[in-house]
Amino acid sequence: MMDASINSYSSRGNNARARPAFLPVQDLEEGQVPVAPTPPAPTDACLGGLEAPTAENTANSEGDSLIEQVGQDLLDSYDRDVNKEDDNGDETEGKYDDEAIAEKKKQIRNAMGCFAAFASVVIITIVLIFLLRDKRHVDEVYMRALVPNYTLWAFNDTNSSQSEALQWVLADPDLQEYPDGRLLQRLALATLFHALNGTSSWKQADGWLNYSHHECEWTTAPLQPKSVHDHLLLEALGGDQDDVQPGRQAPQPCQLEVVGDDEAFVLGPYEHLELYENHLVGNLPPEVAILTALKTLVLDANSLTGSLPTEIRTMSKLEILSLRDNELTGRLPGMEKPNNLKTLVLSGNQFTGTLGPELQNITHIENLVLDRNKFQNATLPTELDLLSRLE
C-alpha cells in the first residue's frame, strides 16, 4: 500500500511523469479499478449568478445539444486519462481527489454555459436584425431625420409652407408604404404648392395634394409658345419650334413602365415640372432642390418674387431652367460642377450683379437668354468665350 497525500505529487524513476497523488485503495478485488463518484451538478454561474446549463435545459436546442456533447466528450476523456496504466504497466491504485474532479467538471460545465449564453445572444441578435431590417415607423421624428438642414429649420415655424407640407405628408393613409425617396418627393412638391399659393391662385391644380393620386399624376401646365423665345424653348424641350398648334402636352413628370395587361404604371423619380402661366405667387422654396432627378423646370409667366434659392445650384441633373417674365431679384446663385444645364432662360426679371462667376461652370450651355434684367455688365463675360455650344 502506497502512502500519498492529497496536496503532494510523486514520481517514479527518471522518466516518470508527475501525477496527482492518490488515496489508498481498500477493499478492492484484484484487477478492479476504483471509480470516482459522480459529482453534483454545479450551480454557480460563469458570468455572475447565471446557473450552469444542464442536459434538461439544453436538450431543446440543436446548438446546445452539440455543446453538451462536446463537453461530455471532454469529461469522458478526462476519466479515461485518470484510469490509464502508469509507465511501468501497473494499474493505477487511486483516483484524483473527488473535489478536484468535481472542480474540473464544474469548470468545463461553466465554460459550456458561457459559450451557450454567448451563442444564444448572437443568434437572437441576428434573428432580430433579419426581422426588423425592413421595418420602420414613419412619423415626424423620422421625417426630421430625413430632410436637409434648411428644411429642418423651416419646420420650427409651424406656419411655414414646409410645416404645412409636413403635416400633409404625415396624414397620408399610405404613409408607411412609401420609400424614403417618395416621402421626400411628395414633401418637396407639397411645399412648392403651399409656398406658391396653390390653394387659392393656381389656374390648374387638379390632383395636387390628393392622396388617391400619385404625385406624378398631378396636373401640370405645359408651355404654350407665344413668342420667338417660347419657340426656342419649345425646341429645347424636344418639340418642333415651327409647331404653333395650341394645346401642347407637357412630358410626363416621371418615368413610366408598362406592366401587366398593357397598363401604364407610374414610377418616379420626378423629372419634368412645367407650370407655365399658372398664377404662381411667392418665393420659390429651396425644397425644389430635393427633386434631385429634375431635368426640366419651367415656371415662366408667373408672379415669382424674391431671389433664387442658393440650393438650386446643387441640381446637377437639371438641363432646362426657364423662369422668364417673373419678378425675381438678387444675384444668380451660379451652378456647381458638375452640371448638365443646357438651356437657361431668365429674361424679364430684375436680377442684378455680374455674370462672370455665376456662369463660368455651365460648360454645357446651348441656349442662354438673360435680357431685360439689371445686370451691371451689358456684355457676356470672358468666361463664355470657351462655350463653343452656345447658340
Side-chain angles (χ1 to χ4, degrees):
M1 191 71 65
M2 298 184 61
D3 293 328
S5 171
I6 294 178
N7 297 319
S8 64
Y9 288 86
S10 62
S11 60
R12 294 183 179 181
N14 294 332
N15 298 325
R17 59 179 175 86
R19 298 164 50 224
F22 46 83
L23 297 175
V25 179
Q26 299 178 357
D27 300 329
L28 293 178
E29 297 180 1
E30 184 177 357
Q32 184 177 0
V33 178
V35 179
T38 302
T43 59
D44 61 331
C46 74
L47 293 176
L50 179 66
E51 183 177 355
T54 62
E56 288 78 4
N57 59 23
T58 58
N60 293 331
S61 170
E62 181 176 345
D64 290 349
S65 298
L66 178 59
I67 296 172
E68 181 72 19
Q69 182 60 46
V70 172
Q72 189 61 49
D73 290 344
L74 290 174
L75 293 175
D76 293 344
S77 175
Y78 178 78
D79 286 341
R80 287 196 298 270
D81 289 343
V82 172
N83 293 324
K84 67 187 304 183
E85 292 184 351
D86 61 15
D87 295 338
N88 295 328
D90 295 332
E91 186 176 356
T92 59
E93 298 179 350
K95 298 286 290 180
Y96 282 118
D97 173 64
D98 288 351
E99 293 183 0
I101 295 175
E103 181 65 25
K104 188 68 175 179
K105 289 186 176 183
K106 180 190 298 183
Q107 294 174 1
I108 294 175
R109 292 189 181 275
N110 286 346
M112 291 164 52
C114 290
F115 182 78
F118 175 77
S120 299
V121 171
V122 171
I123 292 173
I124 292 173
T125 302
I126 293 175
V127 171
L128 288 176
I129 292 175
F130 178 79
L131 293 176
L132 300 177
R133 61 180 179 177
D134 294 327
K135 301 296 182 182
R136 58 171 188 167
H137 178 70
V138 180
D139 53 15
E140 183 171 346
V141 174
Y142 186 91
M143 291 297 299
R144 284 179 173 271
L146 197 62
V147 300
N149 287 334
Y150 54 84
T151 304
L152 186 61
W153 294 331
F155 284 163
N156 295 328
D157 180 2
T158 56
N159 295 321
S160 67
S161 301
Q162 292 83 353
S163 291
E164 290 183 273
L166 175 63
Q167 297 308 313
W168 175 81
V169 168
L170 295 176
D172 194 326
D174 297 324
L175 174 66
Q176 305 300 331
E177 304 301 322
Y178 298 138
D180 290 352
R182 278 201 65 191
L183 289 173
L184 288 173
Q185 182 167 278
R186 291 169 72 82
L187 177 70
L189 291 170
T191 300
L192 186 75
F193 183 80
H194 285 293
L196 301 182
N197 205 22
T199 304
S200 60
S201 69
W202 284 21
K203 184 168 59 174
Q204 296 186 42
D206 294 343
W208 281 76
L209 305 192
N210 189 327
Y211 291 132
S212 62
H213 289 75
H214 192 290
E215 62 272 17
C216 293
E217 297 174 340
W218 296 349
T219 301
T220 58
L223 170 70
Q224 303 301 323
K226 298 177 181 179
S227 66
V228 174
H229 286 165
D230 288 341
H231 287 282
L232 290 174
L233 181 57
L234 179 61
E235 184 180 20
L237 291 169
D240 185 355
Q241 65 172 325
D242 296 325
D243 184 7
V244 295
Q245 298 297 324
R248 170 185 172 268
Q249 297 296 317
Q252 291 292 336
C254 305
Q255 299 174 350
L256 298 177
E257 180 179 308
V258 177
V259 295
D261 299 330
D262 296 331
E263 179 183 357
F265 183 76
V266 182
L267 299 173
Y270 209 93
E271 295 184 352
H272 304 283
L273 177 58
E274 293 186 35
L275 293 172
Y276 174 80
E277 206 175 44
N278 200 43
H279 300 174
L280 312 184
V281 178
N283 294 354
L284 187 64
E287 282 69 27
V288 68
I290 291 179
L291 303 173
T292 56
L294 200 65
K295 296 179 180 179
T296 303
L297 180 60
V298 177
L299 305 178
D300 291 8
N302 286 289
S303 298
L304 300 180
T305 57
S307 59
L308 286 179
T310 57
E311 290 77 12
I312 204 170
R313 65 186 301 174
T314 65
M315 302 176 69
S316 60
K317 294 186 178 180
L318 192 63
E319 298 178 4
I320 299 173
L321 175 60
S322 185
L323 305 172
R324 182 176 58 87
D325 292 335
N326 281 283
E327 302 171 19
L328 296 167
T329 60
R331 299 176 64 95
L332 299 183
M335 297 297 291
E336 293 181 354
K337 285 185 176 181
N339 64 78
N340 284 330
L341 193 62
K342 298 177 181 178
T343 297
L344 178 61
V345 180
L346 301 176
S347 58
N349 284 282
Q350 301 178 40
F351 289 114
T352 58
T354 59
L355 293 175
E358 290 80 2
L359 300 179
Q360 62 184 356
N361 290 334
I362 53 174
T363 55
H364 298 284
I365 197 70
E366 296 176 359
N367 301 292
L368 180 61
V369 184
L370 302 174
D371 62 303
R372 294 182 291 128
N373 279 288
K374 298 181 179 181
F375 296 116
Q376 293 177 7
N377 51 332
T379 59
L380 293 178
T382 56
E383 283 83 352
L384 296 182
D385 292 344
L386 301 178
L387 305 182
S388 59
R389 295 184 178 86
L390 187 62
E391 297 180 357

